[in-house]
Amino acid sequence: MKISEADAKTLLGAAGLPVAPGEVADGAAAARTIAERYFGGGAGRVVVKAQVLAGGRGKAGGVRLAASPDEVEEVAAVILALTIKGYPVRRVLVGPAAVIERELYLAALLDRSARRILVMGSAEGGIDIEEVASTRPDTIVSVHAHPQIGLAAWQARQLAFRLGLGDHLREAVGIARGLIAVMQDNDADLVEVNPLAVVVERAPDGAETRRLVCLDAKITLDDSALPRHPQLEALRDPDEEAPIDREARLAGITYIHLEGTIGCMVNGAGLAMTTMDLIKRAGGEPANFLDIGGGARADKVTAAMRLILADRGVRAILVNIFGGITRGDEVARGLVEARRVQERDVPMVVRIVGTNATEAAELLRASGFETATTLDDAAAKAVAAAARSGAAA
Ligand code: GDP
Ligand code: MN
């Protein structure tokens, strides 16, 4: 489960990490009231940040600085009207703007293959870490924490030096260890601070000091461990689950969205994975993993078709059913019904074998569906159909 930046910062702050102050508002007027307090306290500028469960808010216009209460109200209204990566912005975080000298990246994440917590840092912070990993892999520093000992002092210091934080050694060591503590205490998979910033603070007498502050925070909690932390359930965001995922869950369908163009409808997780492999081997890219499960009736097939077609990237659909408990004719009836009600048509290739395959074939033929008997044939036809309809689009 993902939680908002504001909630993630609360968890970090409670663990003693230096986080930027801020308060959440659900409207522009409320944002202004909060900002007035910070301006009154001496803040030169205030930062207004969209609270949505997506990264890249800055690029999307969801993070803005403002120099007066009027301006805060204005930018808050603009941000609250945005939809970022499919998430409508309902709340903003308002806090005094930091004066940033450097932006770094620091995160604790679960390295499943090593069965350890990995602390990963980069001197190139602020931007998308995947981008850094591909364009500047040399700037990424990582170290495993020992399951019992944690991050040894020398490891933490070495990490800090490699990130160029020699001047902030003690702080950096505390933050790295703090991320691990937050991760363990909350059963998180990921605790990410991007940017971890060197901020400049000016005392009333004009003296400048520099310190490390967590300016952004992202925490992903392990869903399976949530029952151990009932208080964290309150942090669940209504947008935590995308509408499509919710619809899939309620329909009893396992659906995972992918980036390709060929929608898949399959029964059984193993067959679904095989189908995806075959699509890739035939030169295509699956648009999803979708398992309608065993014994699916026609209505589940129509629900699955709705999920697939809701993805505008889908250019062709491959239906691959191995009838056992699932009856081929039921699936075929579902497909015929789905096609009757759907608002968008894309080429479809259907392969149904096993229980009632003959009845299924008759139904499909009568309705003019393109069919295939072998899996390779089905994959090849679907890839060709996607290419054709992609070219036409
Ligand atoms: P993200 O784009 O969703 O990761 O949102 P961030 O909270 O990381 O903000 C994006 C960028 O906005 C940061 O990398 C900073 O450059 C900038 N930013 C965020 N907070 C502040 C702030 O308090 N002061 C200043 N000057 N810039 C900020
Ligand atoms: Mn960020």
Side-chain angles (χ1 to χ4, degrees), residues 46-60:
V46 157
V47 62
V48 184
K49 309 179 74 177
Q51 294 301 286
V52 286
L53 299 176
R57 293 164 302 161
K59 266 189 208 158

Side-chain angles (χ1 to χ4, degrees), residues 5 13 23 46 50 52 87 96 117 127 132 185 216 237 252 255 274 296 317 329 340 342 347 361 385:
E5 173 195 6
E23 269 181 66
V46 157
V52 286
Y87 296 103
I117 290 175
I127 51 169
V132 176
D185 292 348
D216 184 15
D237 189 297
Y255 172 87
T274 306
I317 296 171
D329 60 321
R340 196 179 63 78
Q342 74 203 22

Side-chain angles (χ1 to χ4, degrees), residues 207-281:
E208 280 188 354
T209 48
R210 286 167 170 69
R211 66 178 186 116
L212 288 176
V213 179
C214 305
L215 285 193
D216 184 15
K218 174 177 169 185
I219 293 182
T220 311
L221 301 166
D222 179 349
D223 294 312
S224 309
L226 270 177
R228 305 209 302 193
H229 309 277
Q231 78 286 1
L232 295 177
E233 191 56 48
L235 306 183
R236 186 180 288 279
D237 189 297
D239 290 330
E240 216 275 312
E241 195 175 32
I244 196 92
D245 294 330
R246 185 182 147 77
E247 191 178 338
R249 182 168 56 79
L250 295 177
I253 294 167
T254 310
Y255 172 87
I256 295 161
H257 176 258
L258 301 167
E259 297 303 324
T261 57
I262 301 175
C264 306
M265 188 192 304
V266 188
N267 65 325
L271 187 60
M273 285 192 276
T274 306
T275 305
M276 289 161 59
D277 284 347
L278 288 169
I279 287 173
K280 278 189 167 273
R281 194 170 69 173

Side-chain angles (χ1 to χ4, degrees), residues 202-208:
R202 195 187 285 270
D205 67 359
E208 280 188 354

Side-chain angles (χ1 to χ4, degrees), residues 10-308:
T10 303
L11 293 183
L12 293 180
L17 280 86
V19 292
E23 269 181 66
V24 173
D26 57 8
R32 179 197 182 99
T33 307
I34 294 167
E36 276 168 352
R37 264 206 309 283
Y38 289 120
F39 284 122
R45 286 194 297 177
V46 157
V47 62
V48 184
K49 309 179 74 177
Q51 294 301 286
V52 286
L53 299 176
R57 293 164 302 161
K59 266 189 208 158
V63 178
R64 297 191 189 208
L65 301 175
S68 68
D70 281 342
E71 204 187 338
V72 166
E73 193 166 341
E74 211 171 285
V75 301
V78 170
I79 293 175
L80 285 161
L82 294 175
T83 296
I84 299 176
K85 296 186 181 165
Y87 296 103
V89 181
R90 298 194 177 91
R91 294 175 304 156
V92 288
L93 177 64
V94 181
V99 177
I100 302 173
E101 191 172 77
R102 278 182 66 195
E103 299 195 23
L104 302 101
Y105 175 96
L106 193 64
L109 54 139
L110 198 60
D111 181 348
R112 290 177 193 276
S113 55
R115 298 196 281 173
R116 292 188 179 208
I117 290 175
L118 183 71
V119 178
M120 202 164 94
S122 171
E124 305 277 314
I127 51 169
D128 196 5
I129 193 65
E130 279 82 14
E131 197 181 312
V132 176
S134 65
T135 58
R136 300 280 317 275
D138 51 301
T139 70
I140 292 187
V141 185
S142 54
V143 53
H144 284 110
H146 187 277
Q148 266 95 43
I149 303 167
L151 202 61
W154 66 270
Q155 286 181 301
R157 279 200 302 271
Q158 194 172 59
L159 176 77
F161 275 118
R162 289 201 184 143
L163 295 176
L165 291 175
D167 291 345
H168 298 275
L169 208 53
R170 194 189 288 268
E171 296 159 76
V173 169
I175 293 169
R177 287 180 160 169
L179 296 184
I180 296 174
V182 169
M183 184 165 172
Q184 290 176 325
D185 292 348
N186 297 287
D187 283 315
D189 303 322
L190 171 74
V191 180
E192 182 186 83
V193 176
N194 187 26
L196 170 66
V198 176
V199 309
V200 184
E201 287 169 342
R202 195 187 285 270
D205 67 359
E208 280 188 354
T209 48
R210 286 167 170 69
R211 66 178 186 116
L212 288 176
V213 179
C214 305
L215 285 193
D216 184 15
K218 174 177 169 185
I219 293 182
T220 311
L221 301 166
D222 179 349
D223 294 312
S224 309
L226 270 177
R228 305 209 302 193
H229 309 277
Q231 78 286 1
L232 295 177
E233 191 56 48
L235 306 183
R236 186 180 288 279
D237 189 297
D239 290 330
E240 216 275 312
E241 195 175 32
I244 196 92
D245 294 330
R246 185 182 147 77
E247 191 178 338
R249 182 168 56 79
L250 295 177
I253 294 167
T254 310
Y255 172 87
I256 295 161
H257 176 258
L258 301 167
E259 297 303 324
T261 57
I262 301 175
C264 306
M265 188 192 304
V266 188
N267 65 325
L271 187 60
M273 285 192 276
T274 306
T275 305
M276 289 161 59
D277 284 347
L278 288 169
I279 287 173
K280 278 189 167 273
R281 194 170 69 173
E285 288 293 335
N288 61 269
F289 170 99
L290 192 156
D291 174 11
I292 58 171
R297 306 296 297 256
D299 57 340
K300 209 164 174 186
V301 172
T302 52
M305 194 57 73
R306 253 197 325 276
L307 294 173
I308 294 173

